Amino acid sequence: RACTLPLTGKGVVDRIITNLGVLDVVPGGLKLVELADGVTEAELRAATEATLVN
């Protein structure tokens, strides 16, 4: 639930791109934009503690 890396701009990120997929930061959590090839939504959900919203 908390970032363990140094923060360089808290509250200014609006899109997160990872090896699992692309997520937008929205009110209430993260919205799934796109999954990486071969990754399921269940796998992405298991890899994060963030709240995923529709």
Side-chain angles (χ1 to χ4, degrees), residues 1-53:
R1 298 248 173 233
C3 184
T4 58
L5 302 171
L7 297 177
T8 57
K10 186 176 180 181
V12 298
V13 172
D14 57 8
R15 178 159 280 185
I16 301 167
I17 302 172
T18 75
N19 60 319
L20 299 176
V22 179
L23 303 126
D24 280 346
V25 179
V26 297
L30 302 177
K31 181 177 180 178
L32 178 60
V33 175
E34 183 178 354
L35 288 169
D37 289 341
V39 176
T40 67
E41 185 173 336
E43 289 171 322
L44 185 133
R45 286 182 180 275
T48 183
E49 293 182 2
T51 300
L52 297 179
V53 297

